[in-house]
Amino acid sequence: MSPIPSAAQSQRIQPAATPPELIRNFCIIAHIDHGKSTLADRMLQLTGVVDERAARAQYLDRMDIERERGITIKSQAVRMPWAAGPEGAQQPYALNMIDTPGHVDFTYEVSRSLAACEGAVLLVDAAQGIEAQTLANLYLAMENDLTIIPVLNKIDLPAAQPEKYAEEIAGLVGGEPEDVLKVSGKTGEGVEALLDRIVELVPAPVGRADAPARAMIFDSVYDTYRGVVTYVRVVDGQLTPRDRIAMMSTRATHELLELGVISPEAIPTKGLGVGEVGYLITGVKDVRQSKVGDTVTDSAKPAEEPLGGYSDPKPMVFSGLYPIDGSDYPVLRDALDKLKLNDAALMYEPETSVALGFGFRVGYLGLLHLEIVRERLEREFDLDLISTAPNVIYDVTMEDGETVVVTNPSEFPGGKIREVREPVVRATILAPSEHIGAIMELCQSRRGDLLGMDYLSADRVEMRYTLPLAEIVFDFFDQLKSRTRGYASLDYEVSGDQAAALVKVDILLQGEQVDAFSAIVHKDKAYAYGVMMTAKLKELIPRQQFEVPIQAAVGSRVIARETIRAIRKDVLAKCYGGDISRKRKLLEKQKEGKKRMKTIGRVDVPQEAFIAALSSEQSDAKDKAKK
């Protein structure tokens, strides 16, 4: 969200709290690239909170990275005025809209937004129909008992099939095809009718105005000048400036310096009442004191019970994050603390690597989340980072019954192992029926089991698979897209774990193990990984004065080897003819020198080699594309 201006900078001070019956809280949920941000732009223009001069595409996407990639990463809350009702007796309503991300990796953002709303606009592209993430977000909204308003977007496209997909949506949400609103976020057609429908169908927030104040923190951001800015949804009571507030989980108390609403820039108000969504500023600089899911109350008249909060997100992918310059370690720690305010799904703990020094083991919700976090740290905090190859958590049971939790290949225990268990996911794939064969082939090559298959219509199929999480965190999604010409969509959720034949592949340089290059792979793929990694390192490590063997080993058994040949001087250059024994003597002398050098020599792996070898194949392809 944008930096919060001070009261002096703000355009106007709003009056005290709006009555709850005139408030409508709703969010927009959809698959990635179905037009959420464009529809939000039209709503902002129609309600007059953004004038023509300030308007720009993807107005609520505040980060450069969101605008460059064309995706929403952060939920954004905005308050919009809208008059609705019969002609001559129109009521001014306050609509609090939250624009949510559409990618599977940011589902936690969506779930937090849903908890702050009473209704959800289910947006579907009229040219593509329902996608996997649309279904996932729809089920999330239904679990939260939200009122669902089905909407077809992009009806102005030549390829749009609104009638066909209206039937598909009506079948899902239980309604009639004619109840599905048809809009165009680009041209603005049907958006006024949608705003009227939101006022009509979304219930007003319910809460007790006379009870002690209770507000749920659903997001927060760090502002360099004003400290932690907390975004809340008030459930009971009222918050007013200069109150002393208390955080119910940490018991910390602060003075409320400023509160207000986002419309779409920050506007201070005289109070926030039941059902309102707004921001609080207390001047606190300690980022750990504002926890997403915590309950804010009045410290003079505190509430007895905190609000339900959110379930903690479970990281699915782990990767090491190390500064290239070791002296940047404290800067990286502060940067992660501040980023966690803005991204509650981020988990991290310190770790050290023999090869890379001090860094952090970071847990992510998926591979896109990993990419975005690393890119934000590099851009916003000016850091140069190495991220190790992503991996998942394994439970290793030893022969004596001891269980070891492994989040990093270097933690994989030696000795006799009884069983290794890996996390599995239940994946839902939606695609045109002509691609069934290609999808089945891909899933079987990734150790997948088909659970079931349903035809949503004559030419669209939903396939459900159980897949090991480790098999889909690398390039599964890219492979799926390329095999289905971009038409397939994927959603997945963790569904327990299973025993698997997994081994740890170690990479040895001149007989010494390099912990950063180790990997845990299925035993059938261990040889392929060993051959790939040794060949890659042979290209990346410069030649030394002595011969360097690069080996891949499982336990004590070497499964692949490459040799970096020594740099040799032409010692025979000065021998013109003469006896062969003279040449042999010179070559033997050189050979002895190389052998002696090998015993005292060390192989220094250049930083570039670490970066290239530890980056996933995806990152390599992207780096090449940038160059």
Side-chain angles (χ1 to χ4, degrees), residues 592-604:
E592 283 299 315
K594 296 286 180 197
K595 197 180 284 182
R596 199 161 56 248
M597 191 176 282
K598 188 167 184 174
T599 60
I600 60 165
R602 273 186 73 243
V603 183
D604 288 320

Side-chain angles (χ1 to χ4, degrees), residues 288-527:
R288 293 178 188 83
Q289 293 201 10
S290 182
K291 187 171 167 244
V292 166
D294 199 356
T295 303
V296 176
T297 189
D298 191 326
S299 66
K301 291 191 297 177
E304 292 177 12
E305 288 288 316
L307 296 163
Y310 307 111
S311 57
D312 285 331
K314 294 181 180 65
M316 297 173 75
V317 179
F318 286 84
S319 170
L321 212 53
Y322 297 87
I324 287 179
D325 181 353
S327 62
D328 281 341
Y329 176 75
V331 183
L332 176 59
R333 186 179 55 226
D334 290 345
L336 282 166
D337 279 346
K338 286 173 184 171
L339 196 61
K340 184 167 172 61
L341 256 193
N342 202 237
D343 183 354
L346 196 62
M347 305 280 177
Y348 55 92
E349 57 185 35
E351 78 166 359
T352 53
S353 159
V354 177
L356 301 171
F358 291 100
F360 289 90
R361 190 92 193 136
V362 188
Y364 307 92
L365 299 183
L367 217 58
L368 179 67
H369 190 208
L370 183 157
E371 266 183 62
I372 297 294
V373 166
R374 180 180 160 178
E375 205 163 324
R376 285 187 69 185
L377 286 168
E378 289 180 342
R379 284 186 187 205
E380 295 172 25
F381 302 96
D382 199 22
L383 289 162
D384 288 321
L385 302 169
I386 299 176
S387 56
T388 62
N391 62 279
V392 298
I393 301 179
Y394 300 98
D395 289 328
V396 181
T397 308
M398 308 301 289
E399 202 61 61
D400 60 3
E402 184 194 353
T403 302
V404 181
V405 177
V406 175
T407 60
N408 185 343
S410 62
E411 296 169 2
F412 200 84
K416 290 196 172 181
I417 291 168
R418 183 189 300 167
E419 184 183 63
V420 182
R421 299 189 72 81
E422 65 176 348
V424 292
V425 297
R426 189 177 185 276
T428 304
I429 298 168
L430 269 69
S433 48
E434 67 199 76
H435 300 298
I436 289 175
I439 294 169
M440 283 184 160
E441 187 187 341
L442 173 64
C443 292
Q444 280 162 9
S445 72
R446 299 302 176 96
R447 301 187 281 132
D449 293 323
L450 182 64
L451 296 174
M453 189 164 71
D454 291 319
Y455 279 86
L456 296 177
S457 62
D459 55 356
R460 276 166 67 76
V461 68
E462 177 189 319
M463 301 169 78
R464 294 177 300 283
Y465 267 92
T466 299
L467 285 154
L469 180 58
E471 295 284 353
I472 67 169
V473 296
F474 267 111
D475 59 347
F476 180 82
F477 190 60
D478 285 358
Q479 289 286 329
L480 181 67
K481 283 289 186 188
S482 63
R483 292 185 189 212
T484 58
R485 301 205 299 274
Y487 284 111
S489 60
L490 168 75
D491 180 60
Y492 58 85
E493 58 183 27
V494 175
S495 63
D497 56 12
Q498 68 179 17
L502 300 171
V503 293
K504 178 188 174 192
V505 180
D506 289 316
I507 302 295
L508 311 174
L509 277 182
Q510 210 183 335
E512 285 186 27
Q513 187 182 320
V514 184
D515 65 334
F517 294 140
S518 300
I520 299 167
V521 296
H522 192 268
K523 69 173 193 212
D524 294 346
K525 296 185 178 176
Y527 175 71

Side-chain angles (χ1 to χ4, degrees), residues 112 215-223 227-232 245-254 279-296 337-344:
R112 299 205 322 268
M216 168 85 82
I217 299 176
F218 69 88
D219 205 356
S220 48
V221 64
Y222 187 81
D223 183 83
V228 178
V229 180
T230 306
Y231 294 93
V232 296
I245 58 166
M247 306 290 179
M248 292 191 78
S249 71
T250 59
R251 301 288 173 198
T253 63
H254 314 287
Y279 69 90
L280 313 175
I281 295 176
T282 57
V284 173
K285 296 277 184 179
D286 183 356
V287 293
R288 293 178 188 83
Q289 293 201 10
S290 182
K291 187 171 167 244
V292 166
D294 199 356
T295 303
V296 176
D337 279 346
K338 286 173 184 171
L339 196 61
K340 184 167 172 61
L341 256 193
N342 202 237
D343 183 354

Side-chain angles (χ1 to χ4, degrees), residues 91-120:
Q91 283 274 26
Y93 287 88
L95 308 183
N96 288 316
M97 176 188 70
I98 301 178
D99 177 24
T100 62
H103 195 280
V104 61
D105 282 12
F106 303 109
T107 304
Y108 188 60
E109 285 282 325
V110 179
S111 67
R112 299 205 322 268
S113 304
L114 293 173
C117 298
E118 281 79 35

Side-chain angles (χ1 to χ4, degrees), residues 113-127:
S113 304
L114 293 173
C117 298
E118 281 79 35
V121 172
L122 177 72
L123 200 66
V124 176
D125 189 328

